[in-house]
């Protein structure tokens, strides 16, 4: 005859009681953890397996096992299942290593038209080639097991993460030159604030081009939102193209004013036209310093010949390093302009697009924003 089940004393610390109370009321924890937390708290108030089981709607032996685990391993450890031995793995460690090594290759290197592996293709390849490579355990490999094995090694062969290789041997030196210009901007701003004079000895302009702005027209009218029915504008998916335009823009880093031109093409001729625009915008005594990239139009013979006609010191170029356009502050302006003025824009002609762009530039200049560079500025020489 089985012995009488005696109540055992379950001692818990204040911290354990507080944690169990929070878990017993949780809506996001696993149901088994919430239930076991409730068992332990109820048993602490009423030390009877049968009474706790009746109150919570579980068998009294379930309560007993939970309490015994709490006595043996601690109240919080009793909330989780004890580790089980599980089934012996059928895929050997050598087979897993072979599969992971295979995933680190490209699929095309193994005779497939795919550039990279998919997990389904990788599983099929392992089933077909694994046994011949001495890994019989891969003969029945499935896609889900491939995902599990690769997940353990944090390998994602179907994905590509892009990086930017530094191809400019003088990247650091050129970056330092750009940062020195930004430091000069900082000094000029401080001097202007102290002297409160509007006259400037230098104008510093961050310049770049945004080519390929598409002039796109709708083929049917846009439908406006209807409260309670349609939350957004509705637009027919068909469209008509009229071509592209290029925006040539430079931001005065001292005033925030944007100088801009919109042209059909982007050549030395258009760049010289922009330089002429700057030449007329500033007094003859002001030195115009440009931060710009290494576009061929910026260093062409035509550009150099035109610059030779200007007074010495009128224009000074500071070039960003190759693949270092992120050092140019105007890139932030282009990003903001594309996400505001150019986003979802529809026009009826290239001329209409040009007018909209220039109207957007005029709107920016009505409320100019003075851009400030801060990254690594303290390290500038």
């Amino acid at each position: 005859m089985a012995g009488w089940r005696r109540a055992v004393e379950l001692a818990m610390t204040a911290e354990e009681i507080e944690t169990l109370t929070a878990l017993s009321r949780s809506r996001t924890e696993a149901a088994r953890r919430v239930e076991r937390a409730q068992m332990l708290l109820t048993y602490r108030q009423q030390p009877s397996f049968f009474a706790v089981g009746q109150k919570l709607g579980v068998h009294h032996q379930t309560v007993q096992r939970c309490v015994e685990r709490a006595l043996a391993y601690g109240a919080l450890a009793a909330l989780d299942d004890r580790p089980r031995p599980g089934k012996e793995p059928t895929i050997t460690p050598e087979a897993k290593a072979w599969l992971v090594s295979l995933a680190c290759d490209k699929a095309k290197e193994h005779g497939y038209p795919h550039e990279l592996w998919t997990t389904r293709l990788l599983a099929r390849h392992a089933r077909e080639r694994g046994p011949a490579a001495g890994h019989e355990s891969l003969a029945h490999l499935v896609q889900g097991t491939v995902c599990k094995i690769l997940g353990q090694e944090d390998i994602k062969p179907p994905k590509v993460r892009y990086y930017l290789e530094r191809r400019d041997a003088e990247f650091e030196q050129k970056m330092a030159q750009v940062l020195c210009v930004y430091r000069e901007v900082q000094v000029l701003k401080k001097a202007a604030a102290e002297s409160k004079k509007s006259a400037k000895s230098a104008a510093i302009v961050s310049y770049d081009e945004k080519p390929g702005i598409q002039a796109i027209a709708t083929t049917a009218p846009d439908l406006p939102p209807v409260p309670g029915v349609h939350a957004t504008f509705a637009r027919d998916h068909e469209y008509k193209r009229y071509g592209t335009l290029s925006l040539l823009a430079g931001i005065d880093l001292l005033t925030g004013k944007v100088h801009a031109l919109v042209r059909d093409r982007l050549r030395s001729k258009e760049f010289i036209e922009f330089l002429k625009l700057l030449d007329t915008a500033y007094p003859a005594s002001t030195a115009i310093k440009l931060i710009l990239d290494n576009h061929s139009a910026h260093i062409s013979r035509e550009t150099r010949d035109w610059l030779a006609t200007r007074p010495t010191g009128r224009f000074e170029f500071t070039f960003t390093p190759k693949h270092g356009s992120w050092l140019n502050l105007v890139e932030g302006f282009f990003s903001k302009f594309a996400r505001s003025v150019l986003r979802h824009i529809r026009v009826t002609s290239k001329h209409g697009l040009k007018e909209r762009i220039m109207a957007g530039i005029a709107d920016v200049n009505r409320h100019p924003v003075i851009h400030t560079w801060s990254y690594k500025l303290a390290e500038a020489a």
Side-chain angles (χ1 to χ4, degrees), residues 163-235:
Y163 72 97
L164 188 61
E165 183 179 353
R166 288 188 179 182
R167 294 187 172 88
D168 195 331
E170 300 178 349
F171 189 94
E172 298 293 340
Q173 296 90 323
K174 293 180 179 179
M175 181 177 72
Q177 292 174 2
V178 176
L179 295 181
C180 284
V181 177
Y182 289 143
R183 172 65 69 84
E184 184 179 355
V185 172
Q186 195 177 59
V187 171
L188 290 174
K189 286 180 181 178
K190 185 177 180 180
E194 291 176 352
S195 62
K196 298 181 180 180
K197 293 181 180 180
S198 59
K200 297 185 298 180
S201 60
I204 301 177
V205 178
S206 175
Y207 168 83
D208 203 0
E209 301 95 0
K210 184 175 180 60
I213 304 174
Q214 295 192 73
I216 300 178
T218 56
T219 57
D222 286 347
L223 304 179
V226 178
V229 181
H230 301 294
T232 66
F233 278 93
R235 176 173 288 170

Side-chain angles (χ1 to χ4, degrees), residues 118-266:
T118 64
T119 51
R120 191 183 300 276
L121 178 63
L122 189 58
R124 189 182 80 191
H125 180 86
R127 287 195 301 269
E128 295 174 352
R129 310 287 178 85
H135 305 294
E136 292 291 340
S137 59
L138 298 178
H140 302 287
L141 185 68
V142 296
Q143 181 187 10
T145 306
V146 171
C147 295
K148 187 181 297 184
I149 293 173
L150 297 181
Q152 292 171 352
E153 300 296 332
D154 197 21
I155 299 293
K156 301 175 182 179
K159 293 184 177 292
V160 174
R161 180 179 62 85
Y162 288 91
Y163 72 97
L164 188 61
E165 183 179 353
R166 288 188 179 182
R167 294 187 172 88
D168 195 331
E170 300 178 349
F171 189 94
E172 298 293 340
Q173 296 90 323
K174 293 180 179 179
M175 181 177 72
Q177 292 174 2
V178 176
L179 295 181
C180 284
V181 177
Y182 289 143
R183 172 65 69 84
E184 184 179 355
V185 172
Q186 195 177 59
V187 171
L188 290 174
K189 286 180 181 178
K190 185 177 180 180
E194 291 176 352
S195 62
K196 298 181 180 180
K197 293 181 180 180
S198 59
K200 297 185 298 180
S201 60
I204 301 177
V205 178
S206 175
Y207 168 83
D208 203 0
E209 301 95 0
K210 184 175 180 60
I213 304 174
Q214 295 192 73
I216 300 178
T218 56
T219 57
D222 286 347
L223 304 179
V226 178
V229 181
H230 301 294
T232 66
F233 278 93
R235 176 173 288 170
D236 188 81
H237 71 279
E238 292 187 359
Y239 56 88
K240 183 176 180 181
R241 297 186 181 187
Y242 290 105
T244 61
L245 293 174
S246 295
L247 170 62
L248 295 77
I251 303 177
D252 188 318
L253 299 182
L254 296 172
T255 65
K257 181 179 179 180
V258 179
H259 304 277
L261 289 177
V262 179
R263 295 293 180 263
D264 290 341
R265 301 181 65 181
L266 183 53

Side-chain angles (χ1 to χ4, degrees), residues 264-327:
D264 290 341
R265 301 181 65 181
L266 183 53
R267 302 164 296 178
S268 299
K269 176 182 177 181
E270 285 74 25
F271 179 58
I272 293 172
E273 189 176 353
F274 181 84
L275 294 179
K276 291 179 179 178
L277 175 67
L278 294 181
D279 198 26
T280 58
Y282 294 99
S285 59
T286 302
I288 304 174
K289 301 183 179 183
L290 275 79
I291 301 173
L292 67 172
D293 60 21
N294 295 273
H295 192 282
S296 58
H298 305 163
I299 55 177
S300 66
R301 179 176 55 82
E302 294 89 341
T303 300
R304 293 197 305 270
D305 290 345
W306 184 84
L307 289 173
T309 65
R310 309 310 303 150
T312 303
R314 175 60 166 170
F315 285 94
E316 181 182 332
F317 290 178
T318 300
F319 294 100
T320 59
K322 190 174 183 181
H323 287 181
S325 59
W326 55 273
L327 286 165

